[in-house]
Amino acid sequence: VSGPTATGRSVGLLAVRMLFGALLIYSGMMAGGGEQLAAMTAGDFSGFTPALPEIVEIVVGSMLCLGLLTRLTASVASVWFAVRFGLDAAQGLLSQTWGLYALFCGLLAWFGAGRLSLDLLLRSSLHRAWRRRRRRLADRRLSYAAYRYSSR
């Protein structure tokens, strides 16, 4: 069994996914203030009470780092961040962070995860199982047809 071959594009997408995912995780952890992150690095998780935006950032960042369901995650996150950008702009706050997050998620949704991701492993294992099932069904049909032909 050979692994996926890494092309320049796949390595670039891996680097972008890892950096952007780490940024999202860090941003989600820092949203409550640096005190929460300092307590968490010391092993005290009792002070970390994230709200919905922080949870979304941490989950999206984790899934992008892993390369798991990248296009779906990035598409949903792009819409989420664009809505957050619009809500902040409607309140008079011009935070470019949400807009940049929406842009990067949109680009990742467009280009996908690349060959170095869990998406490829998941897709190839599902495809392999589907081919195996089809082959078994075809063998059954052929053996039944041969049985019918020989019994005439």
Side-chain angles (χ1 to χ4, degrees), residues 60-114:
V60 167
S62 301
M63 290 183 77
L64 289 179
C65 281
L66 292 173
L68 182 64
L69 304 174
T70 305
R71 288 184 191 253
L72 176 67
T73 303
S75 298
V76 171
S78 178
V79 171
W80 168 265
F81 291 136
V83 167
R84 287 293 308 242
F85 178 73
L87 289 175
D88 284 354
Q91 293 178 355
L93 302 171
L94 189 57
S95 172
Q96 296 175 354
T97 306
W98 299 115
L100 289 175
Y101 286 176
L103 176 69
F104 272 108
C105 284
L107 289 174
L108 280 173
W110 180 264
F111 288 110

Short mmCIF file of all heavy atoms in Angstrom, two decimals, residues 60-114:
data_model
loop_
_atom_site.label_atom_id
_atom_site.label_comp_id
_atom_site.label_asym_id
_atom_site.label_seq_id
_atom_site.Cartn_x
_atom_site.Cartn_y
_atom_site.Cartn_z
N VAL A 60 -13.61 24.56 14.16
CA VAL A 60 -13.21 24.76 12.76
C VAL A 60 -11.69 24.67 12.63
O VAL A 60 -11.17 24.02 11.72
CB VAL A 60 -13.75 26.10 12.22
CG1 VAL A 60 -13.10 26.46 10.90
CG2 VAL A 60 -15.25 26.03 12.06
N GLY A 61 -10.97 25.30 13.55
CA GLY A 61 -9.51 25.24 13.50
C GLY A 61 -8.99 23.81 13.65
O GLY A 61 -8.07 23.40 12.94
N SER A 62 -9.60 23.04 14.55
CA SER A 62 -9.18 21.65 14.74
C SER A 62 -9.45 20.81 13.50
O SER A 62 -8.61 20.02 13.07
CB SER A 62 -9.91 21.04 15.93
OG SER A 62 -9.65 21.77 17.10
N MET A 63 -10.64 20.99 12.91
CA MET A 63 -10.97 20.20 11.72
C MET A 63 -10.11 20.58 10.52
O MET A 63 -9.75 19.73 9.71
CB MET A 63 -12.46 20.32 11.41
CG MET A 63 -13.31 19.61 12.45
SD MET A 63 -15.05 19.65 12.10
CE MET A 63 -15.16 18.40 10.84
N LEU A 64 -9.77 21.86 10.41
CA LEU A 64 -8.90 22.27 9.31
C LEU A 64 -7.48 21.75 9.51
O LEU A 64 -6.82 21.35 8.55
CB LEU A 64 -8.89 23.79 9.17
CG LEU A 64 -10.18 24.42 8.64
CD1 LEU A 64 -10.04 25.93 8.58
CD2 LEU A 64 -10.56 23.86 7.30
N CYS A 65 -6.99 21.74 10.75
CA CYS A 65 -5.66 21.19 11.00
C CYS A 65 -5.59 19.72 10.63
O CYS A 65 -4.61 19.25 10.07
CB CYS A 65 -5.27 21.38 12.46
SG CYS A 65 -4.71 23.03 12.86
N LEU A 66 -6.66 18.99 10.97
CA LEU A 66 -6.68 17.56 10.65
C LEU A 66 -6.96 17.30 9.18
O LEU A 66 -6.62 16.25 8.66
CB LEU A 66 -7.76 16.86 11.48
CG LEU A 66 -7.51 16.77 12.98
CD1 LEU A 66 -8.73 16.20 13.67
CD2 LEU A 66 -6.30 15.91 13.25
N GLY A 67 -7.60 18.24 8.52
CA GLY A 67 -8.00 18.01 7.13
C GLY A 67 -9.20 17.11 7.05
O GLY A 67 -9.35 16.34 6.10
N LEU A 68 -10.08 17.19 8.03
CA LEU A 68 -11.26 16.33 8.10
C LEU A 68 -12.48 17.12 7.64
O LEU A 68 -12.80 18.16 8.23
CB LEU A 68 -11.45 15.83 9.53
CG LEU A 68 -12.61 14.90 9.78
CD1 LEU A 68 -12.40 13.60 9.00
CD2 LEU A 68 -12.72 14.59 11.26
N LEU A 69 -13.15 16.63 6.61
CA LEU A 69 -14.34 17.30 6.03
C LEU A 69 -14.03 18.77 5.74
O LEU A 69 -14.80 19.67 6.09
CB LEU A 69 -15.54 17.17 6.97
CG LEU A 69 -15.94 15.75 7.37
CD1 LEU A 69 -17.03 15.79 8.40
CD2 LEU A 69 -16.38 14.96 6.17
N THR A 70 -12.94 19.01 5.07
CA THR A 70 -12.42 20.35 4.89
C THR A 70 -13.36 21.25 4.10
O THR A 70 -13.64 22.38 4.51
CB THR A 70 -11.05 20.31 4.20
OG1 THR A 70 -10.20 19.45 4.95
CG2 THR A 70 -10.44 21.67 4.10
N ARG A 71 -13.86 20.77 2.99
CA ARG A 71 -14.72 21.63 2.16
C ARG A 71 -16.02 21.98 2.87
O ARG A 71 -16.46 23.13 2.85
CB ARG A 71 -15.02 20.97 0.82
CG ARG A 71 -13.81 20.95 -0.09
CD ARG A 71 -14.18 20.38 -1.44
NE ARG A 71 -12.99 20.13 -2.22
CZ ARG A 71 -12.63 20.87 -3.26
NH1 ARG A 71 -13.36 21.87 -3.64
NH2 ARG A 71 -11.54 20.57 -3.92
N LEU A 72 -16.63 21.01 3.52
CA LEU A 72 -17.87 21.27 4.26
C LEU A 72 -17.61 22.22 5.42
O LEU A 72 -18.34 23.21 5.60
CB LEU A 72 -18.46 19.96 4.76
CG LEU A 72 -19.70 20.08 5.63
CD1 LEU A 72 -20.87 20.60 4.81
CD2 LEU A 72 -20.03 18.74 6.26
N THR A 73 -16.57 21.95 6.18
CA THR A 73 -16.24 22.79 7.33
C THR A 73 -15.91 24.21 6.90
O THR A 73 -16.40 25.17 7.48
CB THR A 73 -15.03 22.21 8.09
OG1 THR A 73 -15.34 20.87 8.48
CG2 THR A 73 -14.68 23.03 9.29
N ALA A 74 -15.11 24.34 5.87
CA ALA A 74 -14.71 25.67 5.41
C ALA A 74 -15.89 26.43 4.81
O ALA A 74 -15.99 27.65 4.99
CB ALA A 74 -13.58 25.56 4.40
N SER A 75 -16.79 25.74 4.14
CA SER A 75 -17.96 26.41 3.57
C SER A 75 -18.88 26.96 4.66
O SER A 75 -19.30 28.12 4.61
CB SER A 75 -18.76 25.44 2.69
OG SER A 75 -17.98 24.99 1.62
N VAL A 76 -19.18 26.12 5.62
CA VAL A 76 -20.05 26.55 6.72
C VAL A 76 -19.38 27.66 7.53
O VAL A 76 -20.02 28.65 7.89
CB VAL A 76 -20.43 25.34 7.62
CG1 VAL A 76 -21.14 25.79 8.87
CG2 VAL A 76 -21.28 24.35 6.83
N ALA A 77 -18.09 27.51 7.79
CA ALA A 77 -17.36 28.51 8.56
C ALA A 77 -17.26 29.83 7.79
O ALA A 77 -17.32 30.91 8.40
CB ALA A 77 -15.97 28.01 8.91
N SER A 78 -17.13 29.76 6.48
CA SER A 78 -17.06 30.97 5.68
C SER A 78 -18.36 31.77 5.81
O SER A 78 -18.33 32.99 5.98
CB SER A 78 -16.80 30.62 4.22
OG SER A 78 -16.78 31.77 3.43
N VAL A 79 -19.48 31.07 5.75
CA VAL A 79 -20.77 31.75 5.93
C VAL A 79 -20.88 32.31 7.34
O VAL A 79 -21.32 33.45 7.55
CB VAL A 79 -21.93 30.78 5.62
CG1 VAL A 79 -23.26 31.38 6.00
CG2 VAL A 79 -21.92 30.38 4.15
N TRP A 80 -20.47 31.52 8.33
CA TRP A 80 -20.53 31.97 9.73
C TRP A 80 -19.70 33.24 9.93
O TRP A 80 -20.17 34.21 10.52
CB TRP A 80 -20.02 30.85 10.64
CG TRP A 80 -19.76 31.28 12.04
CD1 TRP A 80 -18.56 31.65 12.57
CD2 TRP A 80 -20.70 31.39 13.11
NE1 TRP A 80 -18.69 31.97 13.88
CE2 TRP A 80 -19.99 31.83 14.25
CE3 TRP A 80 -22.07 31.16 13.21
CZ2 TRP A 80 -20.63 32.05 15.47
CZ3 TRP A 80 -22.68 31.37 14.43
CH2 TRP A 80 -21.97 31.81 15.54
N PHE A 81 -18.47 33.25 9.44
CA PHE A 81 -17.60 34.40 9.63
C PHE A 81 -18.09 35.60 8.83
O PHE A 81 -17.95 36.75 9.28
CB PHE A 81 -16.16 34.06 9.26
CG PHE A 81 -15.51 33.09 10.22
CD1 PHE A 81 -14.75 32.04 9.73
CD2 PHE A 81 -15.67 33.21 11.58
CE1 PHE A 81 -14.14 31.15 10.60
CE2 PHE A 81 -15.08 32.32 12.46
CZ PHE A 81 -14.32 31.28 11.97
N ALA A 82 -18.67 35.38 7.65
CA ALA A 82 -19.22 36.50 6.88
C ALA A 82 -20.41 37.12 7.60
O ALA A 82 -20.57 38.35 7.62
CB ALA A 82 -19.63 36.02 5.49
N VAL A 83 -21.24 36.29 8.21
CA VAL A 83 -22.38 36.82 8.98
C VAL A 83 -21.87 37.61 10.18
O VAL A 83 -22.38 38.69 10.49
CB VAL A 83 -23.32 35.67 9.41
CG1 VAL A 83 -24.32 36.12 10.46
CG2 VAL A 83 -24.05 35.11 8.20
N ARG A 84 -20.86 37.08 10.86
CA ARG A 84 -20.29 37.80 12.01
C ARG A 84 -19.70 39.14 11.56
O ARG A 84 -19.83 40.16 12.25
CB ARG A 84 -19.18 36.97 12.67
CG ARG A 84 -19.64 35.80 13.46
CD ARG A 84 -20.41 36.23 14.69
NE ARG A 84 -19.70 37.20 15.48
CZ ARG A 84 -19.29 37.05 16.71
NH1 ARG A 84 -19.51 35.92 17.31
NH2 ARG A 84 -18.65 38.00 17.34
N PHE A 85 -19.04 39.15 10.41
CA PHE A 85 -18.48 40.39 9.87
C PHE A 85 -19.61 41.38 9.59
O PHE A 85 -19.51 42.56 9.91
CB PHE A 85 -17.68 40.10 8.60
CG PHE A 85 -17.10 41.32 7.95
CD1 PHE A 85 -16.03 41.98 8.52
CD2 PHE A 85 -17.63 41.80 6.76
CE1 PHE A 85 -15.50 43.10 7.93
CE2 PHE A 85 -17.10 42.92 6.16
CZ PHE A 85 -16.03 43.58 6.74
N GLY A 86 -20.70 40.89 8.98
CA GLY A 86 -21.84 41.76 8.69
C GLY A 86 -22.50 42.29 9.94
O GLY A 86 -22.90 43.46 10.00
N LEU A 87 -22.64 41.46 10.97
CA LEU A 87 -23.25 41.92 12.22
C LEU A 87 -22.39 42.96 12.91
O LEU A 87 -22.91 43.95 13.44
CB LEU A 87 -23.47 40.73 13.15
CG LEU A 87 -24.57 39.75 12.75
CD1 LEU A 87 -24.61 38.56 13.70
CD2 LEU A 87 -25.92 40.45 12.73
N ASP A 88 -21.08 42.76 12.90
CA ASP A 88 -20.19 43.75 13.49
C ASP A 88 -20.21 45.05 12.70
O ASP A 88 -20.20 46.15 13.29
CB ASP A 88 -18.76 43.22 13.57
CG ASP A 88 -18.58 42.23 14.70
OD1 ASP A 88 -19.53 42.05 15.49
OD2 ASP A 88 -17.49 41.62 14.79
N ALA A 89 -20.27 44.95 11.39
CA ALA A 89 -20.31 46.15 10.55
C ALA A 89 -21.63 46.90 10.76
O ALA A 89 -21.65 48.14 10.74
CB ALA A 89 -20.14 45.80 9.09
N ALA A 90 -22.72 46.19 10.98
CA ALA A 90 -24.01 46.84 11.21
C ALA A 90 -24.02 47.59 12.54
O ALA A 90 -24.73 48.58 12.69
CB ALA A 90 -25.13 45.80 11.20
N GLN A 91 -23.23 47.13 13.50
CA GLN A 91 -23.15 47.81 14.79
C GLN A 91 -22.12 48.93 14.78
O GLN A 91 -21.93 49.61 15.78
CB GLN A 91 -22.77 46.81 15.88
CG GLN A 91 -23.85 45.80 16.16
CD GLN A 91 -23.41 44.79 17.21
OE1 GLN A 91 -22.27 44.81 17.66
NE2 GLN A 91 -24.32 43.93 17.59
N GLY A 92 -21.46 49.13 13.67
CA GLY A 92 -20.48 50.20 13.56
C GLY A 92 -19.07 49.76 13.89
O GLY A 92 -18.16 50.59 13.91
N LEU A 93 -18.88 48.48 14.17
CA LEU A 93 -17.53 47.97 14.45
C LEU A 93 -16.94 47.43 13.16
O LEU A 93 -17.52 46.55 12.54
CB LEU A 93 -17.60 46.85 15.49
CG LEU A 93 -18.22 47.20 16.83
CD1 LEU A 93 -18.40 45.95 17.65
CD2 LEU A 93 -17.35 48.21 17.56
N LEU A 94 -15.82 47.95 12.77
CA LEU A 94 -15.19 47.46 11.55
C LEU A 94 -14.02 46.58 11.94
O LEU A 94 -12.89 47.01 12.06
CB LEU A 94 -14.73 48.62 10.67
CG LEU A 94 -14.26 48.22 9.28
CD1 LEU A 94 -15.37 47.45 8.55
CD2 LEU A 94 -13.85 49.41 8.48
N SER A 95 -14.32 45.31 12.19
CA SER A 95 -13.30 44.34 12.53
C SER A 95 -12.99 43.53 11.28
O SER A 95 -13.84 42.80 10.77
CB SER A 95 -13.80 43.41 13.64
OG SER A 95 -12.89 42.38 13.85
N GLN A 96 -11.78 43.65 10.79
CA GLN A 96 -11.41 42.94 9.57
C GLN A 96 -11.11 41.48 9.81
O GLN A 96 -11.01 40.71 8.87
CB GLN A 96 -10.20 43.61 8.94
CG GLN A 96 -10.46 45.02 8.50
CD GLN A 96 -9.22 45.69 7.99
OE1 GLN A 96 -8.13 45.14 8.07
NE2 GLN A 96 -9.37 46.88 7.47
N THR A 97 -11.02 41.09 11.08
CA THR A 97 -10.68 39.71 11.40
C THR A 97 -11.71 38.75 10.84
O THR A 97 -11.37 37.76 10.20
CB THR A 97 -10.57 39.54 12.92
OG1 THR A 97 -9.66 40.49 13.42
CG2 THR A 97 -10.13 38.14 13.29
N TRP A 98 -12.99 39.03 11.08
CA TRP A 98 -14.04 38.12 10.60
C TRP A 98 -14.06 38.06 9.08
O TRP A 98 -14.29 37.00 8.50
CB TRP A 98 -15.41 38.55 11.12
CG TRP A 98 -15.51 38.54 12.60
CD1 TRP A 98 -15.71 39.63 13.41
CD2 TRP A 98 -15.43 37.41 13.47
NE1 TRP A 98 -15.74 39.23 14.72
CE2 TRP A 98 -15.57 37.88 14.79
CE3 TRP A 98 -15.22 36.06 13.27
CZ2 TRP A 98 -15.53 37.04 15.88
CZ3 TRP A 98 -15.18 35.22 14.36
CH2 TRP A 98 -15.34 35.71 15.65
N GLY A 99 -13.83 39.19 8.43
CA GLY A 99 -13.79 39.20 6.97
C GLY A 99 -12.63 38.38 6.41
O GLY A 99 -12.79 37.65 5.43
N LEU A 100 -11.47 38.49 7.04
CA LEU A 100 -10.32 37.69 6.59
C LEU A 100 -10.54 36.21 6.86
O LEU A 100 -10.16 35.37 6.04
CB LEU A 100 -9.04 38.18 7.28
CG LEU A 100 -8.53 39.54 6.81
CD1 LEU A 100 -7.34 39.97 7.66
CD2 LEU A 100 -8.16 39.49 5.35
N TYR A 101 -11.15 35.88 8.00
CA TYR A 101 -11.46 34.48 8.29
C TYR A 101 -12.42 33.94 7.23
O TYR A 101 -12.26 32.81 6.76
CB TYR A 101 -12.10 34.33 9.67
CG TYR A 101 -11.15 34.47 10.83
CD1 TYR A 101 -11.63 34.42 12.13
CD2 TYR A 101 -9.79 34.65 10.66
CE1 TYR A 101 -10.79 34.54 13.22
CE2 TYR A 101 -8.93 34.79 11.74
CZ TYR A 101 -9.44 34.73 13.02
OH TYR A 101 -8.61 34.84 14.09
N ALA A 102 -13.43 34.74 6.87
CA ALA A 102 -14.38 34.30 5.84
C ALA A 102 -13.69 34.10 4.50
O ALA A 102 -13.97 33.13 3.78
CB ALA A 102 -15.51 35.32 5.71
N LEU A 103 -12.76 34.99 4.16
CA LEU A 103 -12.02 34.87 2.90
C LEU A 103 -11.16 33.61 2.88
O LEU A 103 -11.19 32.85 1.91
CB LEU A 103 -11.15 36.11 2.69
CG LEU A 103 -10.25 36.07 1.46
CD1 LEU A 103 -11.08 36.15 0.19
CD2 LEU A 103 -9.24 37.19 1.52
N PHE A 104 -10.41 33.37 3.96
CA PHE A 104 -9.56 32.18 4.00
C PHE A 104 -10.38 30.90 3.98
O PHE A 104 -10.02 29.93 3.31
CB PHE A 104 -8.65 32.20 5.23
CG PHE A 104 -7.36 32.92 5.00
CD1 PHE A 104 -7.14 34.15 5.56
CD2 PHE A 104 -6.37 32.35 4.22
CE1 PHE A 104 -5.95 34.82 5.34
CE2 PHE A 104 -5.18 33.01 3.99
CZ PHE A 104 -4.96 34.25 4.56
N CYS A 105 -11.50 30.89 4.70
CA CYS A 105 -12.36 29.70 4.69
C CYS A 105 -12.95 29.48 3.30
O CYS A 105 -13.08 28.35 2.84
CB CYS A 105 -13.46 29.81 5.74
SG CYS A 105 -12.87 29.51 7.41
N GLY A 106 -13.32 30.56 2.63
CA GLY A 106 -13.83 30.44 1.27
C GLY A 106 -12.80 29.87 0.31
O GLY A 106 -13.10 29.03 -0.53
N LEU A 107 -11.56 30.31 0.47
CA LEU A 107 -10.48 29.78 -0.38
C LEU A 107 -10.21 28.31 -0.09
O LEU A 107 -9.99 27.52 -1.01
CB LEU A 107 -9.20 30.61 -0.20
CG LEU A 107 -9.25 32.02 -0.79
CD1 LEU A 107 -7.99 32.79 -0.41
CD2 LEU A 107 -9.41 31.97 -2.29
N LEU A 108 -10.23 27.93 1.19
CA LEU A 108 -10.04 26.51 1.52
C LEU A 108 -11.21 25.66 1.03
O LEU A 108 -11.02 24.52 0.63
CB LEU A 108 -9.86 26.35 3.03
CG LEU A 108 -8.47 26.67 3.55
CD1 LEU A 108 -8.45 26.62 5.07
CD2 LEU A 108 -7.45 25.70 2.99
N ALA A 109 -12.41 26.22 1.05
CA ALA A 109 -13.56 25.49 0.51
C ALA A 109 -13.41 25.31 -1.00
O ALA A 109 -13.81 24.28 -1.55
CB ALA A 109 -14.86 26.22 0.84
N TRP A 110 -12.84 26.29 -1.67
CA TRP A 110 -12.66 26.21 -3.11
C TRP A 110 -11.57 25.21 -3.50
O TRP A 110 -11.75 24.37 -4.36
CB TRP A 110 -12.31 27.59 -3.66
CG TRP A 110 -12.12 27.61 -5.13
CD1 TRP A 110 -10.94 27.53 -5.80
CD2 TRP A 110 -13.13 27.69 -6.13
NE1 TRP A 110 -11.15 27.56 -7.14
CE2 TRP A 110 -12.49 27.67 -7.38
CE3 TRP A 110 -14.51 27.80 -6.08
CZ2 TRP A 110 -13.19 27.73 -8.56
CZ3 TRP A 110 -15.21 27.87 -7.27
CH2 TRP A 110 -14.54 27.83 -8.48
N PHE A 111 -10.42 25.29 -2.83
CA PHE A 111 -9.27 24.46 -3.21
C PHE A 111 -9.27 23.09 -2.53
O PHE A 111 -8.60 22.18 -2.99
CB PHE A 111 -7.96 25.18 -2.90
CG PHE A 111 -7.69 26.32 -3.83
CD1 PHE A 111 -7.76 27.62 -3.39
CD2 PHE A 111 -7.37 26.08 -5.15
CE1 PHE A 111 -7.52 28.68 -4.25
CE2 PHE A 111 -7.13 27.12 -6.02
CZ PHE A 111 -7.21 28.44 -5.56
N GLY A 112 -9.97 22.94 -1.43
CA GLY A 112 -10.01 21.65 -0.74
C GLY A 112 -8.80 21.46 0.15
O GLY A 112 -8.01 22.38 0.39
N ALA A 113 -8.64 20.23 0.62
CA ALA A 113 -7.59 19.94 1.60
C ALA A 113 -6.29 19.49 0.96
O ALA A 113 -5.24 19.54 1.57
CB ALA A 113 -8.07 18.87 2.57
N GLY A 114 -6.34 19.00 -0.24
CA GLY A 114 -5.14 18.46 -0.87
C GLY A 114 -4.96 16.99 -0.54
O GLY A 114 -5.81 16.35 0.07
#
